Amino acid sequence: DHLSLMASILNPNVTIEDDRTGLDIETIRRAVLDNLFYIQGKFPAIATKHDFYMALAYTVRDRLLQRWLNSVQTNLKKDVKSVAYLSAEFLVGPHLGNNLINLDIYQQVEQAIKESGLNLQELIDTEEEPGLGNGGLGRLAACYLDSLSSLEIPAIGYGIRYEFGIFDQHIQDGWQVEITDKWLQYGNPWEIARPESSVMVNFGGRTEAYTDDHGAFRVRWIPEYVVKGIPYDTPILGYKVNTANTLRLWRSEACESFNFERFNQGDYYGAVDSKVHSENLCKVLYPNDEPIQGKELRLQQQYFFVCCSLQDMIRTHLIENSSLDNFDQLWAIQLNDTHPAVAVAELMRLLVDVHHYEWEPAWQITENTFGYTNHTLLPEALEKWPLSIFGRLLPRLLEIIYEINNRFLERVRIKFPDNGSKMSSLSIIDESDDKYVRMANLACIGSHRINGVAQLHSELLKETILHDFYALFPEKFTNVTNGVTPRRWMVLSNPRLTELITQKIGNRWINHLDELKQLEQFVDDASFRSQWRQVKQEVKQDLAKYIEKKVGIVVNPASLFDVQVKRIHEYKRQHLNVLHIITLYNRLKHNPNLDIPPRTFIFGGKAAPGYFMAKRIIKLITSVGDVINNDPDLKDRLKVVFLPDYNVTLGQRVYPAADLSEQISTAGKEASGTGNMKFSLNGALTIGTLDGANVEIREEVGAENFFLFGLTTPQVAEVKSHGYYPRGHYDSNEELRGVLDLISCGFFSRGNRELLQPIVDNLLYDDPYLLLADYQSYINSQEEVSEAYKDQERWSRMSILNVARMGKFSSDRSIQEYCDNIWKVQPVSIKLQAYNQENA
Ligand code: B1H
């Protein structure tokens, strides 16, 4: 109306409330119906649940846009430094619930939806999650976007808009079956395409030297083909702030959809061929948790999104700045592992070839701009590209990499004269047998900071795979321990616990997680402990219902919920967990009166489709479950559940319901882990090795509240250096022998002795992840778990102390450390201005 319009002209902080911004229940209710009609094209009477979900999603998006556009506008300003987080994966999870929390309108919307005769939770559950990541690395990127916005840091996430994300996992006859993830098939209300900001990306062809008008020597790249990148933007709103940063994902398309020459010659199929080729580029996420060496399409994906993103940053930079001289002062680019590491060479190409910088100043800008986060120590997981593929696909980038390498090795030669082995380990080019481009070396050389993701991991990086880089530039190395966002992983996923905690200590903990400390004062309060148990019990009942519905297994909500959810990997040792289950099974069969609390073992996780052993481990779990779940002798004291299709959505159901968190990787193998944090934050106790962030979790919650077992990293190295002989453990440990023999004889596989034998053979004759060496220690620790669980008062104390002391593991703390020590960026608060007041 006229008055509020006048008010907003006089005071731009006053917004105009209308059907697209109003936050009261009645306005929201009306807006949903409006969107249902005008966007979904449906009357309520014929609308599906999905239609209502879409209508609500648009209603929420409308309420975000004001904040989003003002944030984008502010981030463009010439004194504002922004973070660009480059990642091949963003595993954001469903948006609706999270946006309701961060907008702080959950209650109003719940009421408005109720008044329309619907249920908000059902609509939230209707959202198909964008599975644009494999596991921890992609999920970390998503938690970091949430924290960047919540801390009001100007930022943008750049990645790939895969048409098909991580596959859906079905379990058939106990085996994993992969189904294409068609997450976009019913439309995505959270994204806005920005075709006007498209950019071009070169591939193949050759380079050519020329002399420009000023007589300068230059190189140009004459590509074989050019692909267009189209950005799709999704708002990432912070918690109770006006900052809504952008997640910008690139989709590829052919430059011209038709090749007219061919078309006119009647070669229609030939004409659309390049279109098909270009669109294949961002079709599918590679479903491996480690790189598949040498797949050309994967390198195309990496270069594609990096090239699009850097051009985009340069374009936005030049809107308010007259040159790129201050690029490093206005941009901090973080490389999420080596997947975007080609950015180091690409920024040099853009500065030198396109913007005509001299090499040295271009290199200064580049090195000042980049930071590199390493996420793995596994040597087989270090990315390298065959020189032939790299040179054919990206000829100009290979030349630039050679130039970077030559200049770098010259400096190395001065620092370490006559040290050929240092030279060859530091070189970007691996010349060992076949030639490769080593992406970690490029990332280290081109970045001013290199960090690991947990203290132990960062130390091991310096001692092992990056040792020679550490000797060369110790000042670049630092640690930032991972964290998770309490908004999604507590407030959204565990409303009951959130409510109980908030009743006691208020709600400041939600964005100042250290405040959970205050819960310590209530550990001796018996009625609080009883409320605490009550919450856990109710959440476990919810999960029990879900389990029955999904897999038809009835589980006892009073049993100990012992949970391991994560990608299936030998180093994560899901099969060690199974060895414990079979141990308990044998004990109960021999002694039915054994006094141990009943347990429900819950597993979830996907195996890379080509990972033989991981797929067998799934079959092992489901096979053992089939026998144990149906053995009447056990009287339901043990249950084994494999939950299919573990993803963010399922994680939100599972973490809150866990009593025990299994974090049992071989010491030195898990860089950090982040599931470990989500469990403990929701009151589960951890059984774990001294690996990754477990070490720091144990430090924080106290050794007496953590079930520790297993060899330490130096002990693992020690055992291996003396020629590890796993068979010795089998020979000397009767109970272990009984377990492995039971698998071997076909007891869990209907007499089929071949089915699970590869796992047993691997353990007896190789056992690279030392399951047999850690077996007894694990079993002993599990006995302590059972004893502790029998004393429910003691267990509750430990559980409360775990939550109270987890403040460190908020991704807000991680992001603050990145801001202070790596990016040097400051928060900027966003002033709201009504959209129709833009030019007032
Ligand atoms: C992690 C990966 C990863 N480390 C290659 N490395 C990939 C490597 O598709 N690829 O090529 C995909 C993923 N992911 C995980 O990162 C670590 O294993 C976890 O320990 C860590 O918590 C997580 C986040 O830092």
Side-chain angles (χ1 to χ4, degrees), residues 97-370:
N98 200 248
N99 280 328
L100 295 178
I101 302 278
N102 286 7
L103 267 174
D104 199 19
I105 58 169
Y106 198 99
Q107 261 105 42
Q108 292 98 297
V109 168
E110 187 167 48
Q111 189 58 35
I113 292 297
K114 203 186 203 159
E115 289 179 12
S116 307
L118 294 156
N119 176 288
L120 177 57
Q121 190 58 51
E122 277 184 31
L123 297 189
I124 288 175
D125 292 343
T126 304
E127 181 171 352
E128 171 116 45
E129 76 170 71
L132 308 187
N134 273 288
L137 172 141
R139 183 54 233 177
L140 186 76
C143 282
Y144 282 1
L145 292 184
D146 180 272
S147 286
L148 281 162
S149 293
S150 296
L151 292 170
E152 303 181 294
I153 305 296
I156 180 163
Y158 281 116
I160 301 171
R161 183 177 175 277
Y162 301 105
E163 184 176 344
F164 306 121
I166 186 73
F167 61 85
D168 293 338
Q169 179 194 55
H170 287 197
I171 300 294
Q172 271 171 26
D173 188 30
W175 294 96
Q176 166 175 297
V177 175
E178 300 93 20
I179 311 289
T180 311
D181 162 50
K182 298 185 178 164
W183 71 290
L184 288 168
Q185 69 179 330
Y186 300 115
N188 174 7
W190 302 104
E191 67 183 8
I192 295 182
R194 305 283 188 195
E196 72 280 12
S197 301
S198 295
V199 295
M200 299 301 172
V201 181
N202 293 344
F203 286 104
R206 59 189 174 83
T207 65
E208 188 177 81
Y210 71 101
T211 313
D212 72 10
D213 299 346
H214 310 286
F217 172 80
R218 305 208 176 280
V219 178
R220 67 181 151 227
W221 178 2
I222 297 142
E224 184 195 337
Y225 58 100
V226 179
V227 172
K228 182 161 69 175
I230 303 161
Y232 285 70
D233 291 353
T234 301
I236 306 290
L237 178 68
Y239 178 69
K240 293 187 186 175
V241 291
N242 290 329
T243 302
N245 286 314
T246 299
L247 172 58
R248 174 160 276 194
L249 302 179
W250 300 93
R251 186 173 76 81
S252 61
E253 230 181 48
C255 274
E256 293 104 354
S257 42
F258 281 17
N259 178 327
F260 280 104
E261 213 174 309
R262 284 198 189 164
F263 185 61
N264 291 333
Q265 289 162 3
D267 181 9
Y268 180 77
Y269 284 97
V272 294
D273 191 57
S274 86
K275 181 173 159 69
V276 170
H277 183 79
S278 302
E279 288 175 2
N280 275 341
L281 208 151
C282 62
K283 268 275 175 271
V284 58
L285 167 77
Y286 278 95
N288 299 284
D289 221 15
E290 54 190 48
I292 13 68
Q293 303 299 353
K295 281 271 181 282
E296 185 166 351
L297 184 63
R298 170 77 173 179
L299 180 59
Q300 287 183 18
Q301 291 183 340
Q302 295 183 350
Y303 180 65
F304 167 72
F305 95 88
V306 159
C307 177
C308 290
S309 307
L310 287 173
Q311 289 187 65
D312 195 55
M313 284 177 242
I314 289 176
R315 181 184 57 77
T316 48
H317 184 90
L318 291 176
I319 294 173
E320 292 263 337
N321 298 274
S322 56
S323 82
L324 296 173
D325 294 359
N326 59 344
F327 188 81
D328 53 353
Q329 287 150 46
L330 294 191
W331 287 101
I333 306 180
Q334 194 65 24
L335 303 173
N336 197 24
D337 214 287
T338 54
H339 318 145
V342 66
V344 170
E346 175 64 6
L347 182 56
M348 286 301 288
R349 186 187 74 82
L350 290 166
L351 290 171
V352 172
D353 289 0
V354 180
H355 295 272
H356 298 172
Y357 274 77
E358 296 294 327
W359 187 275
E360 272 309 321
W363 184 250
Q364 282 314 314
I365 293 172
T366 299
E367 202 180 354
N368 289 338
T369 302
F370 286 107

Side-chain angles (χ1 to χ4, degrees), residues 88-89 134-141 144 285-292 298 302 336-337 339 373-377 381 383 453 482 571-572 669-677 692:
E89 306 187 6
N134 273 288
L137 172 141
R139 183 54 233 177
L140 186 76
Y144 282 1
L285 167 77
Y286 278 95
N288 299 284
D289 221 15
E290 54 190 48
I292 13 68
R298 170 77 173 179
Q302 295 183 350
N336 197 24
D337 214 287
H339 318 145
T373 304
N374 172 290
H375 294 264
T376 184
L377 292 156
E383 260 192 320
V453 289
N482 285 168
Y571 84 78
K572 296 177 189 279
K669 299 293 180 191
E670 189 70 270
S672 163
T674 42
N676 47 4
M677 302 167 188

Side-chain angles (χ1 to χ4, degrees), residues 298-540:
R298 170 77 173 179
L299 180 59
Q300 287 183 18
Q301 291 183 340
Q302 295 183 350
Y303 180 65
F304 167 72
F305 95 88
V306 159
C307 177
C308 290
S309 307
L310 287 173
Q311 289 187 65
D312 195 55
M313 284 177 242
I314 289 176
R315 181 184 57 77
T316 48
H317 184 90
L318 291 176
I319 294 173
E320 292 263 337
N321 298 274
S322 56
S323 82
L324 296 173
D325 294 359
N326 59 344
F327 188 81
D328 53 353
Q329 287 150 46
L330 294 191
W331 287 101
I333 306 180
Q334 194 65 24
L335 303 173
N336 197 24
D337 214 287
T338 54
H339 318 145
V342 66
V344 170
E346 175 64 6
L347 182 56
M348 286 301 288
R349 186 187 74 82
L350 290 166
L351 290 171
V352 172
D353 289 0
V354 180
H355 295 272
H356 298 172
Y357 274 77
E358 296 294 327
W359 187 275
E360 272 309 321
W363 184 250
Q364 282 314 314
I365 293 172
T366 299
E367 202 180 354
N368 289 338
T369 302
F370 286 107
Y372 159 50
T373 304
N374 172 290
H375 294 264
T376 184
L377 292 156
L378 305 182
E380 68 271 21
L382 292 181
E383 260 192 320
K384 51 180 192 180
W385 294 104
L387 208 72
S388 52
I389 292 183
F390 202 102
R392 184 158 26 85
L393 196 67
L394 306 170
R396 181 55 184 147
L397 283 116
L398 187 57
E399 290 175 358
I400 288 172
I401 285 172
Y402 274 128
E403 183 67 26
I404 294 171
N405 202 37
N406 288 339
R407 289 169 183 252
F408 167 70
L409 291 178
E410 202 45 55
R411 282 161 55 208
V412 175
R413 217 184 324 267
I414 293 165
K415 185 140 181 185
F416 304 107
D418 305 317
N419 194 333
S421 89
K422 271 228 151 61
M423 296 279 286
S424 63
S425 88
L426 289 167
S427 171
I428 303 173
I429 309 298
D430 177 352
E431 323 222 18
S432 46
D433 36 2
D434 290 327
K435 289 192 171 187
Y436 294 97
V437 181
R438 294 191 285 214
M439 301 311 277
N441 296 42
L442 178 60
C444 285
I445 295 164
S447 301
H448 69 293
R449 284 288 183 283
I450 300 163
N451 75 284
V453 289
Q455 261 162 32
L456 173 67
H457 169 64
S458 295
E459 287 309 310
L460 293 172
L461 275 182
K462 295 189 282 188
E463 287 169 21
T464 62
I465 55 167
L466 299 183
H467 175 266
D468 289 341
F469 282 103
Y470 179 58
L472 194 61
F473 3 80
E475 69 288 350
K476 285 191 182 186
F477 283 74
T478 184
N479 169 249
V480 182
T481 298
N482 285 168
V484 301
T485 170
R487 272 73 67 183
R488 183 176 293 273
W489 298 112
M490 290 187 85
V491 181
L492 177 62
S493 59
N494 201 344
R496 293 186 184 87
L497 190 64
T498 298
E499 169 70 20
L500 176 59
I501 293 173
T502 301
Q503 265 175 29
K504 286 288 173 188
I505 65 170
N507 64 8
R508 231 180 87 88
W509 61 273
I510 295 170
N511 52 358
H512 301 85
L513 203 63
D514 283 323
E515 302 242 333
L516 288 175
K517 271 264 127 58
Q518 293 181 56
L519 288 173
E520 283 197 35
Q521 58 186 303
F522 303 107
V523 290
D524 292 322
D525 175 343
S527 88
F528 180 69
R529 288 199 305 273
S530 143
Q531 287 177 296
W532 191 266
R533 279 194 296 279
Q534 179 65 27
V535 163
K536 183 62 86 180
Q537 203 49 46
E538 288 173 20
V539 177
K540 286 168 73 178

